[in-house]
Amino acid sequence: MKKILSMALAAAMVMSMTVNAAAAEVSTVEAGKLYMATNAAFPPYELVADDGTFEGIDVEIATAIAEKLGLELVVDDMDFTAVVTSVQTGKDDIAMAGLTVTEERKQNIDFSDTYATGIQVIIVTEDSAIATVDDLEGKLIGCQEGTTGYMYCSDDYGEENVVAFPNGANAVQALMTGKVDCVIIDNEPAKAFVAANEGLKILDTTYVVEDYAIGVNKENPELLAAINGVLKEMIEDGSVKAIVDKYINAGTEEETAEETAEETTAEAK
Ligand code: GLN
């Protein structure tokens, strides 16, 4: 019995040493914590749940990374425009906000390996005359402030034709009330906004395809390396995919179930 106990104790010590070793390798803004800068109005990547807690793909991936590094995740919710600066100035450890890798941002922060793809899509009202990217000329486009969508649109169509809103939901609201002609935003939030509001659709055309990655302070290469190590593991063992599927493909399955139910009802009539 004593022997088993001491073996268990030794095993526990080895385990805690492994955890501490991983944690000891990285320094963070606050010891034992991993601060994540985000804008929790970007479903399904980050959102505030009904009970007031943060959830979403980014939040779950970040939680898993923190755990593997022996740290506790702290979500720091802010305007999207502040996310990169918060990491750059050392207020937060990581930026995770469906954040697209761009050359401009790379001058201010480092990026991890990519863990997801984003596509800029066009949301219009169901009766809209806009059918393709070619119809956008001279139209008023709603975007979210500081995003790649805003940058591309103002470059391509002129700043005077683009209105920046604090978040995607505000831009969609402006579309519903006829203040803008369309909204250009990342595909997954677009799907969430269209599902939540009647009379909208996403055009079957992609504007720009981009990579999402985790932003890290340029002076913390140890943290960047540790994150890349954990990410690689999580991509290889399928845990990133499991998290993505939980939020994205789960919805599709529900839809399919609903459609099946509808078909059944239709047949019955
Ligand atoms: N992917 C876009 C960007 O990085 C939008 C991100 C967001 O609004 N959270 O600019």
Side-chain angles (χ1 to χ4, degrees):
M1 187 65 194
K2 238 181 173 173
K3 201 172 166 194
I4 295 177
L5 261 178
S6 65
M7 269 167 66
L9 202 68
M13 272 169 67
V14 170
M15 269 167 66
S16 83
M17 270 162 61
T18 322
V19 171
N20 290 336
E25 279 169 27
V26 296
S27 66
T28 52
V29 172
E30 188 187 331
K33 306 273 166 77
L34 184 72
Y35 278 83
M36 164 182 165
T38 197
N39 170 237
F42 200 68
Y45 290 96
E46 38 270 329
L47 59 145
V48 182
D50 292 338
D51 64 0
T53 57
F54 296 106
E55 64 175 20
I57 296 170
D58 287 347
V59 177
E60 290 205 21
I61 293 178
T63 304
I65 291 175
E67 251 167 42
K68 290 203 183 215
L69 298 178
L71 303 169
E72 187 199 330
L73 184 76
V74 180
V75 176
D76 190 7
D77 188 18
M78 64 191 74
D79 284 346
F80 180 71
T81 47
V83 165
V84 169
T85 326
S86 287
V87 166
Q88 190 186 355
T89 57
K91 178 171 173 266
D92 292 293
D93 296 302
I94 59 169
M96 236 179 144
L99 186 65
T100 302
V101 180
T102 71
E103 287 309 314
E104 201 183 323
R105 289 174 183 160
K106 270 192 195 166
Q107 301 190 346
N108 300 320
I109 52 170
D110 282 341
F111 279 102
S112 71
D113 297 333
T114 174
Y115 64 90
T117 303
I119 303 168
Q120 296 296 316
V121 296
I122 307 166
I123 310 176
V124 292
T125 52
E126 266 163 5
D127 57 1
S128 176
I130 301 172
T132 72
V133 182
D134 303 328
D135 302 328
L136 293 177
E137 206 68 52
K139 295 289 189 308
L140 201 54
I141 306 167
C143 286
Q144 190 188 345
E145 199 179 356
T147 61
T148 47
Y150 179 83
M151 295 175 220
Y152 296 133
C153 290
S154 45
D155 281 354
D156 291 352
Y157 303 101
E159 238 167 72
E160 66 283 7
N161 292 315
V162 189
V163 189
F165 294 90
N167 61 50
N170 303 138
V172 168
Q173 220 44 52
L175 174 62
M176 305 270 295
T177 51
K179 294 198 178 81
V180 294
D181 299 311
C182 67
V183 168
I184 293 190
I185 194 163
D186 305 44
N187 58 331
E188 290 303 333
K191 280 190 219 161
F193 292 133
V194 167
N197 296 282
E198 255 173 52
L200 300 179
K201 63 177 179 185
I202 298 171
L203 292 184
D204 198 11
T205 156
T206 57
Y207 184 39
V208 184
V209 180
E210 30 190 53
D211 288 330
Y212 292 168
I214 305 172
V216 179
N217 189 290
K218 280 191 177 291
E219 272 148 46
N220 201 346
E222 298 81 14
L223 180 61
L224 182 69
I227 287 174
N228 275 335
V230 172
L231 253 187
K232 188 167 185 275
E233 235 174 79
M234 289 181 61
I235 291 171
E236 280 170 7
D237 72 11
S239 40
V240 164
K241 188 178 180 300
I243 293 171
V244 171
D245 283 354
K246 182 175 151 191
Y247 285 91
I248 296 178
N249 300 339
T252 321
E253 266 159 40
E254 258 168 44
E255 255 169 53
T256 317
E258 251 172 51
E259 276 163 26
T260 317
E262 266 169 35
E263 274 164 31
T264 319
T265 326
E267 268 166 32
K269 275 184 193 160

